[in-house]
Amino acid sequence: MKLSLSVVKQWTVAAAAICGLFAVTAPTARAITCEVTPREIPITLSYHGAKLTITGQTAPDDDLILKISSEPHDTAMKYYGKVGGLVWMKKGGLEFKGVPGVYLVNTTADLSLILSETERDQYQLGYDAMAKATKIEDNKGLPAERKWFDEFTRFKEKEMIYKIQQGTITRRHGEKGNTFEIVVNWPYQAPPGIYNIDLLAVNNGKVVDKTATTFEVKRVGVIAALSKMAVDQAALYGIMSVLIALAAGTAVGAIFKKGGGSH
Amino acid sequence: MYMYLPIALTSVNYLVVIGLGLSVGLLSGLFGVGGGFLMTPLLMMVGIPPTIAAATDANQIVAASASGTFAHWRLGNVDVKMGIYLLVGGFLGGAVGVQVIKLLRATGGADFLIKMTYVVMLGLVGSFMFVESIHAMRKKKVASAAPAAQAKTAAPEKKRNGFFASLPLQVYFEKSGVTHSALVPLFLGTFVGVLAAIMGVGGGFLMVPVMVYMLRMPMHVVVGTSLFQILFTCVEVTFLQAYSNRTVDFFLALLLLFGSVFGAQIGTVLGKKLHGDQLKILLAILVLAVTVKIVLELVLEPSLLLAYAGGH
């Protein structure tokens, strides 16, 4: 009996340890989910951006960070500087290595308060974290100053394709469980392509759970046909552009014929 | 109200773009300029990338100048012979100018030279036209008061014609009522072509004063002939930009030309109601205003210190 009690205790401890281990290593236990509607944004002739609704389930006491971004790539820019101490001119080029074309972050609270610096750096959350990971080179391949990264984010923010908004995710605790919802105004300036949505649940300054999904912004109809023609049949596209302009010009000229006269 | 542009990859309020086309088309019909030096910065202000703005502008100028040329043709204001000489010179000059700018870009500092050429040329042309037009208007008043004074003022013009008359290959241009050596319009066309290629513009605002002051053509024939020449230049530019750079946005061009073809017709009708000197003064004011704008852009710190590579 003594022996069997000790075996039971050992099994209990082992079972508790295994459960504890699962609690730490298996984030699916928190069952974070993320759904995006629509999954495809069509670019039509009257397209002027769209509304993206992102919803899902989350643990009740976790904060949330939602990052929408495109795949990182190198971006070539020109920078302005003073020439001869008097005039502002484009002085040279800068290459920003591995930066996303679009970077939109939404959170339930202040990013710097809910997530440690180490974790922000690891998951590329916030401009400081991005700046640390981004190499900026000038024309000669030499590293450029950090101030140019700040200028870069300012430039992208003005284009509406970089934005960090804190406290914008709404959470609800009700019969349907712990849900969240955010409506993102998708900027029309964002080019067509596939975009990543990363949803992170954070607690005590650390990422405790995460999930990801994607959506596509796609040209359709006449927009798709014309874009394809401009690339695949450039000569025909050029001739068509010229002929239609000539026809429009002369047609309107003919309409105004009655208004003519001689000097 | 909004239309998505497939090549510019942006959405614009089409009423704003049609309005821009109408305004610049009006100036085109009025003064015989393509309006590229006005339209490109205006398009950039509504969010069109610089390379797309410049290329698409050339496409809409095809429509506006076709409309304007047609209107002026009916009025008998197009000197085709002179236009062809200037056009041949312009093509030659354009080719030389492109090579010059390539060389300058390789050595660095090309942007500085382009901007400075722009400011100096616009400033000189605008100031000269302004002063000369005021002077001419005063002369007219004096001449109408004392007809004898007219004989005195005709003397220096004869002298100028005497210099041109000494050159070989003399040709009479019936429409303009002037005789020049064929070399003169060829050389002037080349000169404007070189400058236009360096500055990245069509050259209408340079060609108009050249025709008025160097070729001594009547102002109304100058406008029609300038539009005729611009039409052919922009046909070539549109095709090359679409074929080589894929930077012509067809929908943007459609919106612009919808406005500009009507604007060009209105401009032509308005132009008929104004005297040549009045037209010159208005163009001079416009050119000087653009000069001031460029100078301010150069001197004041830009709100953004970065721009995408590939633009002007």
Side-chain angles (χ1 to χ4, degrees):
Chain A
M1 194 67 175
K2 240 184 179 180
L3 188 72
S4 60
L5 256 174
S6 140
V7 170
V8 168
K9 266 184 188 172
Q10 280 175 5
W11 274 105
T12 312
V13 170
I18 289 164
C19 287
L21 194 68
F22 263 100
V24 173
T25 59
T28 47
R30 288 175 175 264
I32 188 171
T33 63
C34 179
E35 285 289 323
V36 58
T37 313
R39 288 193 70 86
E40 190 176 294
I41 299 176
I43 298 183
T44 57
L45 199 57
S46 57
Y47 176 70
H48 191 65
K51 288 221 183 285
L52 270 182
T53 306
I54 300 159
T55 54
Q57 297 274 342
T58 176
D61 52 351
D62 288 348
D63 271 301
L64 296 172
I65 300 166
L66 184 90
K67 179 171 86 170
I68 305 176
S69 60
S70 55
E71 284 301 314
H73 62 273
D74 299 346
T75 304
M77 307 288 290
K78 291 266 186 191
Y79 69 91
Y80 286 89
K82 257 195 170 176
V83 177
L86 185 68
V87 294
W88 288 89
M89 304 285 303
K90 282 179 193 164
K91 277 182 86 176
L94 291 171
E95 183 139 300
F96 294 79
K97 305 274 186 188
V99 283
V102 172
Y103 181 83
L104 306 172
V105 172
N106 289 273
T107 66
T108 47
D110 189 330
L111 192 57
S112 61
L113 296 179
I114 59 175
L115 198 61
S116 71
E117 191 180 338
T118 321
E119 295 273 295
R120 290 200 302 271
D121 291 349
Q122 188 186 335
Y123 291 96
Q124 294 274 295
L125 292 166
Y127 294 147
D128 284 335
M130 277 177 76
K132 285 178 199 167
T134 305
K135 268 177 78 180
I136 314 170
E137 286 179 359
D138 66 12
N139 281 345
K140 293 166 192 159
L142 297 170
E145 292 172 67
R146 155 74 200 249
K147 76 163 187 175
W148 290 114
F149 186 82
D150 298 333
E151 282 297 323
F152 180 76
T153 53
R154 230 160 54 81
F155 180 88
K156 292 280 192 177
E157 279 191 343
K158 195 147 191 204
E159 277 201 311
M160 312 294 285
I161 48 179
Y162 270 40
K163 202 178 214 179
I164 296 177
Q165 290 179 291
Q166 302 178 117
T168 45
I169 301 177
T170 313
R171 280 182 300 185
R172 291 193 188 92
H173 309 289
E175 286 174 4
K176 290 179 183 172
N178 303 300
T179 61
F180 75 90
E181 184 183 85
I182 178 166
V183 178
V184 176
N185 287 318
W186 183 250
Y188 64 83
Q189 294 90 340
I194 293 171
Y195 291 90
N196 304 313
I197 298 180
D198 293 296
L199 180 69
L200 308 175
V202 298
N203 212 320
N204 290 322
K206 285 190 180 305
V207 173
V208 291
D209 204 354
K210 60 182 179 180
T211 185
T213 186
T214 60
F215 67 96
E216 189 174 5
V217 180
K218 201 176 174 184
R219 284 179 265 218
V220 295
V222 69
I223 298 286
L226 214 59
S227 310
K228 197 172 179 312
M229 188 185 177
V231 176
D232 297 344
Q233 295 162 290
L236 189 66
Y237 181 85
I239 292 167
M240 180 187 78
S241 304
V242 167
L243 288 181
I244 290 182
L246 280 173
T250 44
V252 173
I255 292 167
F256 273 72
K257 201 172 179 179
K258 283 179 186 171
S262 178
H263 263 292
Chain B
M1 293 283 273
Y2 291 99
M3 183 186 255
Y4 189 78
L5 306 172
I7 309 297
L9 297 180
T10 191
S11 172
V12 288
N13 184 323
Y14 56 79
L15 292 178
V16 170
V17 178
I18 291 171
L20 289 181
L22 190 81
S23 320
V24 177
L26 194 141
L27 297 175
S28 178
L30 202 55
F31 304 122
V33 294
F37 68 106
L38 284 172
M39 184 62 95
T40 303
L42 287 174
L43 286 177
M44 283 160 64
M45 275 169 63
V46 295
I48 310 295
T51 45
I52 311 277
T56 308
D57 188 31
N59 193 12
Q60 77 85 21
I61 293 172
V62 170
S65 55
S67 174
T69 304
F70 193 62
H72 280 281
W73 182 286
R74 282 199 319 267
L75 297 172
N77 290 342
V78 181
D79 189 334
V80 176
K81 200 194 280 182
M82 183 68 88
I84 288 171
Y85 279 110
L86 290 168
L87 197 59
V88 171
F91 278 144
L92 288 174
V96 173
V98 167
Q99 294 309 313
V100 170
I101 207 74
K102 256 188 192 172
L103 205 76
L104 285 168
R105 282 202 198 282
T107 54
D111 282 344
F112 182 73
L113 190 103
I114 291 168
K115 284 270 181 185
M116 284 301 143
T117 311
Y118 222 113
V119 169
V120 170
M121 287 310 297
L122 281 173
L124 279 177
V125 167
S127 308
F128 179 74
M129 280 183 78
F130 190 77
V131 171
E132 200 276 343
S133 305
I134 290 191
H135 195 62
M137 282 169 96
R138 275 188 191 157
K139 259 186 190 173
K140 247 181 206 170
K141 273 186 188 170
V142 173
S144 59
Q150 214 165 10
K152 276 184 187 174
T153 53
E157 196 169 337
K158 267 188 184 171
K159 217 175 185 179
R160 225 185 332 261
N161 285 338
F163 167 72
F164 283 133
S166 66
L167 294 168
L169 301 168
Q170 291 291 321
V171 180
Y172 179 63
F173 296 91
E174 299 85 4
K175 206 62 119 185
S176 304
V178 292
T179 302
H180 286 296
S181 161
L183 297 175
V184 174
L186 274 175
F187 172 77
L188 292 174
T190 308
F191 173 71
V192 172
V194 170
L195 284 176
I198 291 175
M199 293 156 73
V201 294
F205 72 94
L206 291 172
M207 192 59 92
V208 168
V210 159
M211 285 193 261
V212 173
Y213 300 111
M214 316 271 303
L215 297 172
R216 315 306 291 177
M217 290 164 66
M219 185 62 189
H220 289 98
V221 179
V222 164
V223 174
T225 311
S226 171
L227 285 173
F228 170 80
Q229 191 240 354
I230 286 166
L231 169 64
F232 285 92
T233 310
C234 286
V235 164
E236 185 206 13
V237 170
T238 301
F239 179 75
L240 289 178
Q241 291 279 25
Y243 184 68
S244 312
N245 302 329
R246 282 115 168 114
T247 42
V248 174
D249 196 303
F250 181 67
F251 281 161
L252 178 60
L254 272 185
L255 292 177
L256 288 172
L257 69 86
F258 186 74
S260 69
V261 288
F262 287 101
Q265 293 292 332
I266 298 166
T268 307
V269 173
L270 274 179
K272 275 169 62 191
K273 293 179 179 161
L274 293 170
H275 287 292
D277 288 329
Q278 288 172 321
L279 277 175
K280 277 189 253 173
I281 279 197
L282 286 174
L283 180 59
I285 290 169
L286 183 71
V287 169
L288 285 174
V290 174
T291 312
V292 171
K293 180 189 164 277
I294 296 172
V295 168
L296 287 176
E297 274 174 6
L298 283 170
V299 177
L300 301 175
E301 185 175 345
S303 61
L304 290 171
L305 294 176
L306 288 175
Y308 282 121
H312 257 298

